Amino acid sequence: MSDLCTPTFADLASRLGFSCETAGGLVEFRNPFALENWTLPVLEITVIAGAVLTLIYAIVRLRRHNDPTNIALWFGAIAYLLIIEPPLYFPGAFGISEYVDTMFAHNVFTVDFLWGRLPLYIVAIYPMMATVAFEIVRMLGVFRRYGVLVGAVCVGFVHHAFYEIFDHLGPQLRWWEWTLDNPINLPFFASVPLPSVVVFAALWPMSLAFCVQLFVGRHVDEGRTFTGTQLLWRTIVIGVLASLGTAVLPMPATIGGALAGSTTVAGFIYAAELAVVTAVAVWALVNQWLRIRRDDDAARYTNPLILGYAAAYLVVMTVLWATSLPAYLGAVDGVTVNGDPVGSLWYTIGCLVIAGLCIGAARTSARPHQTPVLPTQTSTATT
């Protein structure tokens, strides 16, 4: 698809080791042993396995407990992906090239879509990580105790912790490459654009969780059920509104940076938004964990399967980080001897600790002798 091979993408692809002139078609398969390095197939397996596991769990929840919340979350994340990602890959085809240049390029993986732009694992990571974060918050009972908005903020915070472990490692291992001079990416935090640290790691899952709980989850908690048609249109609306939320939530930083004519000002506002999310989430998560540990009669929702996967994900990411440490420690001015930018190790360690504490809190919130209490379902349909 050479007519869509813009100079910016061509340069990024060349630095990653492939040519966009010959990068497949709508779907392309490659030998996993012939990729850039061994970490790429490991990443694929880890993320895709998580997406399959969370989809199976969503189906089981729907069939056994008449709870479509996870189905709406899973496919709502896919709808969000289909709305957000293609314009970022092909700004010219969507008529926005005057305003948005190519922001990044993924490396080529075992399975790719859209002429080398969209690896299968990226499709998988949206519903996988959204489910992990949502389920941890739901297991802690935050939605039930504090409502839709605070629960959504907590999902954004937990998602941020899991995502940034991956986000700060990708550029060094050539999983993707950022456009360094694109104003939308500025300012950078180590090798990661600060807008990505805030918007794609925290604000978009917050927006998605808010919509899922608003349109589906809270009704399920009240014992209502949905027909297939009702669930379909709600899931589509969730994807659309979550996309709009991703544009609205960063507006203070976007407007502030534009008025000041400074990416530094925009970065400061982004950081302030993340600080607010963090403060609210830490307060709600800690207080709710302490409360349910004291209350033997509190209803419990447990999901050991997802917690087990979340722990396995952290183990894999820790191993990948450990193997990259020699090159990281040998980096000069944030660049390895191979020319790859490095992320922030201290921030990654902080996120790893937070993610581990969230798993531990969710696991210990339900005591072994207790039988989990699930929402009572009725045959009442809601429109």
Side-chain angles (χ1 to χ4, degrees):
M1 204 168 187
S2 58
D3 56 324
L4 295 179
C5 190
T6 64
T8 303
F9 184 80
D11 178 61
L12 294 173
S14 176
R15 281 190 272 165
L16 287 169
F18 71 97
S19 171
C20 66
E21 296 283 354
T22 58
L26 284 174
V27 184
E28 185 174 15
F29 300 91
R30 293 179 179 83
N31 181 354
F33 299 104
L35 301 179
E36 176 68 26
N37 58 65
W38 65 270
T39 67
L40 276 71
V42 171
L43 176 67
E44 283 183 298
I45 292 170
T46 302
V47 173
I48 293 171
V52 172
L53 183 68
T54 53
L55 177 58
I56 291 172
Y57 178 78
I59 294 171
V60 170
R61 282 294 301 174
L62 178 61
R63 297 187 64 179
R64 292 186 181 177
H65 303 287
N66 204 17
D67 177 5
T69 306
N70 292 90
I71 284 286
L73 178 69
W74 205 97
F75 285 100
I78 294 294
Y80 174 91
L81 159 77
L82 296 176
I83 294 169
I84 292 294
E85 294 273 342
L88 299 180
Y89 300 142
F90 306 110
F94 286 86
I96 59 174
S97 57
E98 294 184 9
Y99 313 100
V100 179
D101 193 10
T102 302
M103 297 171 57
F104 59 88
H106 296 291
N107 209 331
V108 287
F109 284 76
T110 305
V111 183
D112 281 312
F113 302 104
L114 302 179
W115 294 269
R117 267 66 167 187
L118 180 61
L120 175 60
Y121 95 90
I122 289 294
V123 178
I125 203 169
Y126 277 81
M128 177 276 283
M129 203 161 288
T131 300
V132 168
F134 190 93
E135 287 296 278
I136 287 174
V137 173
R138 183 156 67 157
M139 278 182 270
L140 287 169
V142 177
F143 286 111
R144 183 175 65 250
R145 175 68 174 175
Y146 294 108
V148 176
L149 179 57
V150 173
V153 171
C154 291
V155 171
F157 172 75
V158 175
H159 186 283
H160 176 88
F162 279 87
Y163 189 86
E164 285 308 294
I165 300 167
F166 150 87
D167 206 19
H168 279 267
L169 183 60
Q172 181 183 340
L173 296 182
R174 300 191 180 183
W175 296 344
W176 63 82
E177 182 96 14
W178 291 102
T179 305
L180 300 180
D181 58 354
N182 190 322
I184 298 177
N185 289 341
L186 301 176
F188 272 77
F189 172 33
S191 64
V192 186
L194 190 57
S196 173
V197 171
V198 179
V199 178
F200 284 100
L203 297 186
W204 97 256
M206 172 181 162
S207 179
L208 177 70
F210 180 86
C211 294
V212 168
Q213 190 66 13
L214 182 68
F215 286 98
V216 179
R218 66 189 180 99
H219 298 295
V220 172
D221 292 341
E222 294 169 356
R224 298 178 180 176
T225 61
F226 297 92
T227 66
T229 302
Q230 290 168 344
L231 184 59
L232 175 62
W233 74 256
R234 284 170 186 265
T235 301
I236 294 172
V237 168
I238 286 167
V240 173
L241 292 184
S243 304
L244 293 177
T246 305
V248 171
L249 291 174
M251 282 187 69
T254 304
I255 295 173
L259 291 176
S262 169
T263 57
T264 302
V265 171
F268 178 82
I269 300 174
Y270 275 124
E273 288 192 72
L274 182 59
V276 171
V277 169
T278 300
V280 172
V282 170
W283 167 79
L285 290 169
V286 171
N287 278 284
Q288 179 61 7
W289 180 75
L290 292 173
R291 174 181 171 272
I292 60 179
R293 291 291 291 172
R294 291 191 302 263
D295 185 0
D296 289 337
D297 296 325
R300 303 294 201 272
Y301 167 85
T302 60
N303 190 338
L305 183 68
I306 298 302
L307 289 181
Y309 170 77
Y313 165 86
L314 293 186
V315 169
V316 172
M317 288 296 115
T318 300
V319 170
L320 293 176
W321 259 103
T323 59
S324 71
L325 275 181
Y328 179 95
L329 296 175
V332 177
D333 295 328
V335 179
T336 68
V337 294
N338 293 324
D340 302 314
V342 298
S344 172
L345 179 60
W346 69 264
Y347 197 78
T348 299
I349 292 173
C351 288
L352 183 63
V353 170
I354 291 170
L357 288 174
C358 288
I359 293 173
R363 188 178 298 277
T364 59
S365 65
R367 294 166 188 166
H369 66 273
Q370 290 173 318
T371 301
V373 181
L374 301 173
T376 303
Q377 304 295 334
T378 69
S379 59
T380 305
T382 183
T383 58

